Amino acid sequence: MSEVARRICPVCEAGCSLEVAHEGRSVTGIRGAKSDILSRGFICPKGAALKELDADPDRLRQPLVRRDGVLQPASWDEAFAAIRRGLMPLIEAHGRDSVATYVGNPTAHNYELALGFGVMAKALGSPYVFTAGTVDQVPKQVSSGLMFGSRMAVPVPDIDRSDYLLMLGANPIVSNGSLWMAPDFRGRLREMKARGGKLIIIDPRRSETAEVADRHHFIRPAGDAWFLMALLHVMLREGALLTPALAPHVNGFEDISALAAEVDLARASAACGIGMAEIETIARELVSTPRAAVYGRIGTTAQKYGTLTSWLIDAVNVVAGNLDVPGGAMFADPPAFGDVYGGNGPEGFAIHRYTARVTGHPEVLGEFPLAALAEEIEGNDEGRIRALICMAGNPVLSAPNAARLDKALGTLDFMVAIDIYLSETARHADVVLPGVSPLEKGHYDSFLSFFMTRNVARFSAPVFPLANNALSEWRIMLTLAAIVSGMGADDASVSALEDGVLADIAGPDAGLLHGRGHRGVEAWLDMELRRGPFGSGSDENGHGLTLDKVLAAPDGIDLGALQPRLPGMLRTASGKVELAPQILVDEARRMLAGEAADEDQMSLIGRRQVRSNNSWMHNLPMLAKGPFRCTLMVNPADAARLNITEGGLARVRARTGMIEVQVEITDEIAPGVVSLPHGWGHDMAGAGLSVAAERPGVNSNVLTDDADLDAITGTAVLNGIPVRLEAVG
Ligand SMILES: Nc1nc2c(c(=O)[nH]1)N[C@H]1C(S)=C(S)[C@@H](COP(=O)(O)OP(=O)(O)OC[C@H]3O[C@@H](n4cnc5c(=O)[nH]c(N)nc54)[C@H](O)[C@@H]3O)O[C@H]1N2
Ligand SMILES: Nc1nc2c(c(=O)[nH]1)N[C@H]1C(S)=C(S)[C@@H](COP(=O)(O)OP(=O)(O)OC[C@H]3O[C@@H](n4cnc5c(=O)[nH]c(N)nc54)[C@H](O)[C@@H]3O)O[C@H]1N2
Ligand code: SF4
Ligand SMILES: [Mo]
């Protein structure tokens, strides 16, 4: 008999609610759930492909333990025993700092893993935490920390009420939005345009989003900070003032005015490649349109001026009067886990509090840059990293100077991977613990609800019960926590640890935790919903949120459009928006004083594709079919100059390495710029992705440089890499 269950898609930040039709344990079809209040029926091919992911014979279903050099199936007890034997002697001999952790992107979509990681990392007590954040959004979180006092205070465009969006370095038609939960972006855009709204795209490539925009301007890679400084210059020169709503809550208007006055408009225009008249028009439109917002994503964060650019985007939002107003750039109000992810003690927001032993890299958001991981492992330094716990991450394909990291991982004394595949990274592990199918776990938008375009609370229960012999990822992380705490890894010990952890988190709210009918991580979620801004508190009959209420509403509970939240949500020491943090003003002056870029160099940038998600969905036949996607886009003028032909091979050289890649000639890409997607290179011996290996593509991160970083956060420059190009043969 056929049944239909609901499941929020865990692949990307759109969080589409899906209807999963199944007969028993077998999925018969997946489509978008029309009645979901946030995603409204939207689905992309990756959501439909969860059917194949669930059934993929390559998906791991049993732990693997290395014996005689080979990874072999093992029981959970054997796997945990091997982890204890591998890690504990290292910890005893070299301290907890000798064990590093890496947290990959799917953790942001997996609340069990995210919360479980927190428990495990605390038990481990090593400062060597690395995450995909330092190849991604950390610059935005740091600029938000500096301006608003919280790393999670990232404003999002209120697209459903906006009339003007300026977007830099983002391609939501393909990516479906990031640090911005706006499923069905295409539909929301259509509605905005029907109201007369306008979309302006700034991108070195005429992206799929640029194709549906009102205007598109090519920009030099990493020219965004120049462009935004020029916008500020024009707005302030023409007399922009803080709006009456913002003025009482903003510090630093004079400082930013002084900085913007130093900008030479002609020079800024030349540096970014956008004409002065266009800059002036956009500046005026942003000020004169009451409901307008600026938004930037990976092209603005994973680049040379990532933090500077991230700050300038919100500085423009403030000066144009568009922050915290309906239709502008607004803050969501997460119904749960506000404090868990907020991560701010009473001392306020701080970075660079300590440094890494080998590289001297300063800490950022409690972690070190992923770019530093290889060097922290290499060599004979007593303080080096000797073991790694890699959770839902594939840095061999996603980190800068990937070949160096690949080599370094091979020299570790011990490595654990928690993954659903034997990935290019997991193949280095001594023990691989299998995550479960996305259809075997519950979903709550824990991290993503900070970036929702409308406040909602949604939960989907597992479609299928855990397979025989499977362990939930929450339980996996708790067991690892027990092991590194020196406790037993048996069921009773882990349950005792869980009780202690939850009691600790509840503190005085213990009454919200117990006797409410939920267990484990769901009990934690229930408590967070109850004590959150829309919660019922301890009033059982109250109107507020509880997990049971959210469970009873498969389409989600609508908590309304985004509301102005200043000044209440600010966590800065001053209690105001810091419009001109000194470290960012200094960085801006450094850029203004710097040399212009070398115009003869080609510049490499990345791109995303609908049928791909970072490195790990290339094993699903539904997505893998069709045209070859790992191509280097080259402008016709560059191709002609370099004798490069369509479909032929080009050699691309950078400081760190060289690749040969299939060429796609197109005027979508600006002259002087080439674009290559990341997450390919599935031809590494020992990985277990048989479909992906048929058309492996090349690893673009052989070309990205672990020494080329955003100065403030150490985030890798993945866009705007100087490369040389030549035809092969
Ligand atoms: N050159 C270049 N490099 C980039 C980027 C770029 O634009 N250009 N983008 C960067 C960005 S934004 C990001 S976020 C990073 C991503 O970097 P990573 O997070 O390191 O890599 P992913 O490719 O997301 O790999 C995720 C891994 O988790 C596994 N996985 C998937 N689902 C689950 C699950 O439910 N449980 C468990 N345990 N494992 C799971 C997958 O099999 C895969 O091995 O890449 C970065 N690298
Ligand atoms: N289909 C699909 N969706 C995804 C992912 C995926 O791999 N596939 N990955 C997910 C992840 S982890 C993330 S972080 C998000 C990212 O979400 P987005 O940031 O929207 O992702 P991209 O599609 O890479 O868009 C980045 C754009 O920046 C442009 N760009 C590059 N350099 C510069 C620059 O210097 N300046 C400017 N202005 N633009 C530049 C690129 O040409 C590209 O069009 O997507 C998520 N969604
Ligand atoms: S856009 Fe696609 S991958 Fe992203 S959540 Fe929706 S269905 Fe999943
Ligand atoms: Mo990302």
Side-chain angles (χ1 to χ4, degrees):
M1 205 192 71
S2 189
E3 286 174 273
V4 177
R6 289 288 282 275
R7 164 71 176 150
I8 297 168
C9 178
V11 174
C12 89
E13 293 171 60
C16 302
S17 184
L18 307 177
E19 287 178 0
V20 181
H22 60 100
E23 282 174 20
R25 182 60 187 76
S26 141
V27 178
T28 51
I30 297 183
R31 56 180 200 181
K34 285 208 173 63
S35 51
D36 183 82
I37 51 175
L38 197 61
S39 64
R40 320 185 300 191
F42 188 76
I43 184 172
C44 85
K46 297 182 294 300
L50 292 183
K51 171 178 167 9
E52 289 186 349
L53 178 60
D54 182 60
D56 191 344
D58 285 343
R59 188 167 62 76
L60 299 176
R61 289 168 175 81
Q62 205 179 344
L64 303 173
V65 173
R66 194 172 295 278
R67 293 195 197 94
D68 307 321
V70 183
L71 282 168
Q72 296 177 7
S75 71
W76 285 98
D77 285 346
E78 286 167 334
F80 286 129
I83 292 171
R84 189 187 298 279
R85 275 198 313 276
L87 283 183
M88 295 320 280
L90 291 174
I91 289 179
E92 274 147 35
H94 306 286
R96 295 182 169 269
D97 297 13
S98 64
V99 182
T101 50
Y102 175 69
V103 181
N105 168 276
T107 313
H109 308 265
N110 184 330
Y111 86 117
E112 292 192 25
L113 214 44
L115 298 171
F117 174 77
V119 174
M120 195 278 288
K122 197 167 165 207
L124 178 62
S126 165
Y128 289 96
V129 178
F130 299 83
T131 80
T134 50
V135 283
D136 189 352
Q137 84 291 348
V138 158
K140 186 73 205 181
Q141 293 192 270
V142 167
S143 78
S144 283
L146 294 166
M147 291 182 83
F148 310 118
S150 162
R151 63 170 74 174
M152 300 304 284
V154 175
V156 296
D158 182 17
I159 185 170
D160 294 342
R161 292 181 286 180
S162 191
D163 294 321
Y164 187 98
L165 291 182
L166 173 66
M167 264 188 214
L168 304 88
N171 187 12
I173 286 285
V174 166
S175 69
N176 288 296
S178 179
L179 292 186
W180 185 25
M181 196 177 199
D184 189 20
F185 169 78
R186 193 187 284 274
R188 291 177 199 275
L189 177 64
R190 203 181 302 122
E191 289 161 18
M192 185 180 99
K193 289 180 132 191
R195 294 193 299 271
K198 292 207 163 24
L199 173 68
I200 319 297
I201 295 289
I202 308 289
D203 197 306
R205 182 183 148 231
R206 195 173 63 249
S207 65
E208 293 79 353
T209 308
E211 292 288 353
V212 296
D214 295 274
R215 302 195 312 257
H216 163 241
H217 300 285
F218 282 128
I219 188 168
R220 287 236 158 82
D224 304 80
W226 283 103
F227 168 69
L228 293 159
M229 295 273 287
L231 288 182
L232 283 174
H233 175 88
V234 174
M235 293 192 301
L236 291 161
R237 187 188 69 195
E238 298 188 352
L241 289 171
L242 291 177
T243 60
L246 285 171
H249 308 303
V250 174
N251 270 342
F253 185 72
E254 291 72 24
D255 296 335
I256 207 160
S257 303
L259 175 69
E262 293 165 26
V263 175
D264 174 346
L265 193 55
R267 184 159 175 250
S269 162
C272 70
I274 300 176
M276 287 197 278
E278 284 84 358
I279 293 173
E280 284 171 337
T281 302
I282 293 172
R284 287 170 196 147
E285 287 170 339
L286 281 170
V287 173
S288 65
T289 312
R291 294 164 179 260
V294 190
Y295 166 78
R297 219 18 219 106
I298 194 89
T300 62
T301 54
Q303 57 127 296
K304 182 163 191 212
Y305 296 111
T307 313
L308 176 62
T309 305
S310 297
W311 164 57
L312 288 168
I313 286 170
D314 287 329
V316 169
N317 278 324
V318 170
V319 171
N322 296 328
L323 185 78
D324 202 41
V325 297
M330 300 195 81
F331 298 100
D333 199 0
F337 298 111
D339 297 335
V340 173
Y341 290 92
N344 297 314
E347 78 280 9
F349 182 80
I351 51 171
H352 302 173
R353 293 169 296 182
Y354 46 91
T355 54
R357 272 201 266 184
V358 176
T359 58
H361 267 294
E363 159 276 345
V364 60
L365 306 182
E367 44 185 279
F368 291 117
L370 180 55
L373 177 57
E375 199 176 338
E376 293 288 335
I377 295 171
E378 294 163 354
N380 290 318
D381 193 289
E382 169 50 33
R384 75 178 184 272
I385 291 167
R386 294 160 199 267
L388 176 70
I389 302 174
C390 177
M391 192 182 78
N394 196 6
V396 164
L397 298 190
S398 55
N401 201 350
R404 179 183 186 179
L405 182 62
D406 186 42
K407 209 162 149 198
L409 293 182
T411 68
L412 284 168
D413 293 342
F414 192 72
M415 178 173 158
V416 182
I418 302 111
D419 206 295
I420 56 172
Y421 285 112
L422 183 54
S423 69
E424 291 74 12
T425 301
R427 82 193 210 283
H428 287 295
D430 298 284
V431 178
V432 184
L433 301 176
V436 301
S437 160
L439 303 181
E440 291 173 348
K441 57 192 161 203
H443 182 98
Y444 179 75
D445 306 310
S446 55
F447 179 76
L448 300 182
S449 58
F450 286 83
F451 317 114
M452 292 185 303
T453 200
R454 188 174 181 86
N455 292 316
V456 302
R458 306 182 305 165
F459 182 82
S460 51
V463 177
F464 301 130
L466 277 183
N468 270 340
N469 187 42
L471 207 53
S472 76
E473 285 163 303
W474 165 247
R475 203 71 184 176
I476 291 174
M477 297 319 290
L478 286 181
T479 309
L480 291 178
I483 291 172
V484 297
S485 308
M487 296 167 50
D490 58 285
D491 235 33
S493 306
V494 175
S495 294
L497 175 93
E498 178 181 68
D499 289 343
V501 163
L502 292 181
D504 216 33
I505 293 158
D509 294 331
L512 299 183
L513 192 60
H514 297 299
R516 310 277 173 166
H518 297 288
R519 293 189 44 79
V521 70
E522 289 183 13
W524 187 355
L525 171 57
D526 184 38
M527 176 183 68
E528 293 287 344
L529 286 165
R530 287 169 187 271
R531 70 180 174 188
F534 304 98
S536 68
S538 53
D539 177 4
E540 209 52 55
N541 304 312
H543 294 293
L545 291 181
T546 65
L547 180 54
D548 284 335
K549 286 186 195 163
V550 180
L551 272 168
D555 294 326
I557 295 180
D558 189 3
L559 302 166
L562 303 185
Q563 297 294 319
R565 294 192 63 209
L566 293 185
M569 50 75 64
L570 295 171
R571 294 288 176 274
T572 47
S574 60
K576 296 193 175 194
V577 173
E578 294 297 345
L579 186 55
Q582 195 58 47
I583 185 173
L584 295 169
V585 172
D586 292 346
E587 173 82 342
R589 291 215 164 91
R590 225 159 52 83
M591 184 187 77
L592 292 180
E595 300 287 312
D598 174 0
E599 303 230 344
D600 294 336
Q601 284 273 19
M602 300 285 289
S603 183
L604 173 71
I605 63 171
R607 73 174 184 275
R608 283 174 165 71
Q609 295 162 315
V610 170
R611 287 173 185 277
S612 168
N613 190 62
N614 296 331
S615 74
W616 64 277
M617 291 199 103
H618 301 150
N619 209 55
L620 308 176
M622 273 169 81
L623 301 179
K625 68 183 184 203
F628 185 61
R629 297 189 179 87
C630 186
T631 57
L632 185 77
M633 287 183 170
V634 182
N635 182 275
D638 294 317
R641 180 170 55 86
L642 298 166
N643 267 324
I644 288 173
T645 51
E646 172 70 21
L649 281 184
R651 194 169 291 131
V652 192
R653 292 175 198 278
R655 186 192 74 90
T656 54
M658 187 268 285
I659 58 171
E660 289 181 359
V661 57
Q662 187 175 317
V663 168
E664 178 181 346
I665 298 177
T666 168
D667 68 0
E668 255 175 51
I669 191 85
V673 183
V674 287
S675 157
L676 183 65
H678 74 285
W680 297 87
H682 302 293
D683 50 0
M684 297 185 181
L689 297 117
S690 54
V691 175
E694 287 168 25
R695 289 204 289 178
V698 289
N699 184 356
S700 71
N701 280 312
V702 166
L703 303 173
T704 54
D705 193 333
D706 52 346
D708 192 4
L709 308 176
D710 169 47
I712 295 174
T713 65
T715 298
V717 172
L718 305 174
N719 295 291
I721 298 123
V723 292
R724 296 195 183 283
L725 199 59
E726 64 195 34
V728 173

